[in-house]
Amino acid sequence: MTTLTIRSSSNDYQVNIGAGLRHQLSDLLKNNYSKVLVITDSSVAPLYLKDVVAAFGSDTVVSSEIVPAGEQSKSVICYSGLLDRCLEDQLDRSSLIIALGGGVIGDLAGFVAATYLRGIDFLQMPTTILAHDSSVGGKVAINHDKGKNLIGSFYSPVQVIYDTETITTLSIQEVRSGYGEVVKHALLSDSKWFQHLMDTSLESIEEDDLIDHLTSGIRVKAQIVESDERETGVRKHLNLGHTLAHALEAEFGYGEVTHGEAVAIGMLFAMKISQVKLAAKLPYSQYQKWLDDNNYPLHLLARIDVEATLKRMKLDKKTLENSIHYVLLNEVGSPTVIKLTDQELIQSLNDFVQKEGGRIVDQRS
Ligand SMILES: NC(=O)c1ccc[n+]([C@@H]2O[C@H](COP(=O)([O-])OP(=O)(O)OC[C@H]3O[C@@H](n4cnc5c(N)ncnc54)[C@H](O)[C@@H]3O)[C@@H](O)[C@H]2O)c1
Ligand SMILES: [Zn+2]
């Protein structure tokens, strides 16, 4: 088992990473709780809920609530239903909420824990690769009809217990999604690690490599959020690839593209702009080939409406005034934030879509 310690302004917490940890919960837990509510989703529950409940001794009352799998559960209605459940179960200030699932469950259960009785303990048990990113850093949120993550808080878990065995049941699309954020953490920090990832095929990841990648990703994220918890400076670097990604997600929606897949494509675009604006020397072709080899949905670029995409990029909440603050790379491991005008973005997006979208259309015809 690998253990990392994350420092946050409210508390320090441990991240335990290893195979089979769900069976050792009661040994790993730092505190004793008389009541525990496990919040999970309809895909994860049949796989792992029984193990988690069984891991507690008879002196702990463990209940569970299962929400439908998917982003739509990060809703006010679902949140309200979970608060009802907390009240029915008479959870008190010394109870624990466990988030067993991916980023959706972490964000939702975390926001319930942050607000119920002005905050009770919550523990993250991430079950997706993407959740290596979402389970540390203390951002919890639900969505509003007007946009994603508009209702939320900064609220750190008391502990993160990452059972890497649970990753084995993820679909290949969710593996690709998670690796989008893993590659982001590599691009932000370390060219050697990035090169190693470029030699990794997502269809056949060794368990040791997976644990290494998750641990390294969490380290990078932790280092950045520890130095800028409230996103006034370097935490912005974590948005690498995200401005285009959010626009692609809104344009094509879940089913066609997952968050991490969109981020992976967004980072290729960020590399392109970095080459033009900063004369950066970046492994663009190598990364593009890796995306192709691992079936990231680059073909969606052929269907992009550039004007509409730009509009969406400007709606993104990271947009300041009328220009877009874009995270670019001076080189692998050296991110920077640059202001781009609409004109520059339209030009770059047109070039990018023509090159990548066109290439794919050509290949298929
Ligand atoms: N708080 C943060 O800092 C932060 C950062 C990044 C993303 N997020 C949020 O995370 C969410 C995305 O997270 P995600 O990609 O993990 O999505 P998710 O939680 O919806 O999980 C993806 C799918 O995989 C299924 N699943 C989860 N674990 C499984 C397992 N072990 N085996 C089989 N199926 C499994 C889920 O049921 C779901 O259908 C978004 O809502 C995003 O806003 C938050
Ligand atoms: Zn992301």
Side-chain angles (χ1 to χ4, degrees), residues 179-192:
Y179 264 85
E181 301 282 7
V182 171
V183 168
K184 179 187 81 179
H185 288 133
L187 281 174
L188 292 176
S189 64
D190 182 351
S191 116
K192 239 172 95 186

Side-chain angles (χ1 to χ4, degrees), residues 130 133 181 184 238 242 246 259-260 263:
L130 188 128
D133 181 9
E181 301 282 7
K184 179 187 81 179
L238 293 171
H242 279 63
H246 290 153
H259 175 70
V263 170

